[in-house]
Amino acid sequence: MKLSAILVEDEEKSREILRNYLTKYCPNISIVGEAANVDEALILIRNNDLDVVFLDVEMPYGNAFDLLDKVGNIDFETIFVTAYNHYAIEALNAHASYYLMKPISIDELIKAVDYVTEIRTKEDALQDQVLVPKTNSVNGKITIPQQNGFEILETDNIMYCKADDNYTEIYLNNNKKKLVSKTLKYIEESLKDANFARVHKSYLVNVNEIVKYVKGKGGSVVLSNGKEIMVSASKKSDLLSYFK
């Protein structure tokens, strides 16, 4: 798992040592920026999606705890790197993930990175669970993943879904469209307990929105918004089973 990180350290030599150690011994760490003080660090934190911050305690014009107070809602892991052990309790109270003493032990650095990697991996796994779409067994709703979380849709408001490679376009009855980073097969499985029929390899339709069926080898369906969608011959019997 690749982790994006910044180094916050006022001493250039110390930053260089930490940078070199991380580059050589912790290849899953991607350093996206470095800061020498609280203000520089705050800018980096606000402008980057970070997994971990390597943070010295004592800096000019404020310390590590001042920085964390200014950040407020902390959504990254913090590895303190300091020459002073008397900050350990305060770091623990600030939810530090690891506390490294200078001079940095390579073994301890690797352990710290491995620990943070494990934390972020578990968080990602949990988020993936949260983002699994729920069917109408949960009050007729489905959740669709977004970059910063997920959106909840009423299944009754979905007209049809269209495959777009590894994405799915979800068309709603208010003429809006949602692009979801899930395959149509995945969405179909999520909606298996709702009235949705796979009428074509590229289309999944809300059966309740069908107002007309046009005969043919496979035929086609017309939805309440006037959209006509072809039905593949192999899917015809499955579709018509809803209307027997």
Side-chain angles (χ1 to χ4, degrees):
M1 183 183 189
K2 204 75 172 176
L3 302 181
S4 60
I6 62 169
L7 314 184
V8 184
E9 164 67 66
D10 63 310
E11 296 181 2
E12 185 176 349
K13 185 63 178 178
S14 295
R15 283 202 311 274
E16 182 182 353
I17 292 171
L18 179 56
R19 184 195 318 122
N20 290 340
Y21 281 178
L22 288 170
T23 301
K24 186 172 182 179
Y25 300 106
C26 305
N28 68 316
I29 294 292
S30 175
I31 302 172
V32 299
E34 299 180 13
N37 55 56
V38 169
D39 290 340
E40 290 178 2
L42 197 58
I43 292 171
L44 286 175
I45 290 170
R46 288 174 174 170
N47 291 330
N48 291 279
D49 185 13
L50 300 174
D51 293 298
V52 57
V53 172
F54 292 87
L55 186 56
D56 186 19
V57 176
E58 295 192 346
M59 294 176 285
Y61 315 115
N63 61 26
F65 306 106
D66 296 325
L67 171 62
L68 295 176
D69 284 342
K70 290 183 178 181
V71 171
N73 184 25
I74 298 172
D75 58 359
F76 51 81
E77 307 304 318
T78 307
I79 296 177
F80 280 82
V81 185
T82 179
Y84 306 97
N85 59 16
H86 57 269
Y87 289 114
I89 293 177
E90 197 171 354
L92 183 64
N93 291 335
H95 306 291
S97 300
Y98 215 92
Y99 196 90
L100 289 174
M101 293 292 297
K102 295 177 182 177
I104 298 172
S105 160
I106 294 173
D107 288 341
E108 281 298 307
L109 177 62
I110 293 172
K111 283 175 61 177
V113 170
D114 286 347
Y115 181 68
V116 167
T117 301
E118 183 179 357
I119 291 174
R120 300 304 277 190
T121 301
K122 288 179 178 178
E123 287 176 352
D124 278 1
L126 178 60
Q127 180 171 318
D128 284 344
Q129 280 187 339
V130 170
L131 296 181
V132 171
K134 304 298 183 183
T135 65
N136 64 341
S137 61
V138 187
N139 300 320
K141 300 179 188 296
I142 183 174
T143 60
I144 59 173
Q146 296 182 327
Q147 187 173 6
N148 60 348
F150 60 89
E151 182 177 359
I152 302 171
L153 299 178
E154 299 279 351
T155 55
D156 287 345
N157 292 336
I158 299 173
M159 295 285 292
Y160 66 95
C161 305
K162 179 183 178 183
D164 183 9
D165 292 329
N166 290 324
Y167 291 80
T168 298
E169 297 173 352
I170 298 179
Y171 291 82
L172 306 177
N173 56 19
N174 59 2
N175 294 321
K176 291 185 178 181
K177 179 178 74 172
K178 305 288 184 180
L179 183 63
V180 186
S181 58
K182 298 292 183 182
T183 64
L184 186 60
K185 182 179 180 180
Y186 183 93
I187 299 298
E188 179 184 16
E189 179 64 22
S190 302
L191 291 168
K192 65 182 180 181
D193 294 327
N195 288 322
F196 283 80
R198 185 75 172 264
V199 298
H200 187 279
K201 67 177 183 178
S202 298
Y203 286 94
L204 181 70
V205 302
N206 186 341
V207 175
N208 293 324
E209 296 293 339
I210 296 175
V211 297
K212 184 179 181 180
Y213 171 74
V214 180
K215 289 183 178 181
K217 183 177 181 180
S220 64
V221 291
V222 179
L223 304 183
S224 60
N225 65 351
K227 172 71 175 179
E228 185 172 5
I229 296 173
M230 299 302 296
V231 178
S232 64
S234 62
K235 301 292 185 182
K236 181 177 178 178
S237 61
D238 290 341
L239 170 68
L240 295 181
S241 68
Y242 282 90
F243 300 96
K244 289 180 179 179

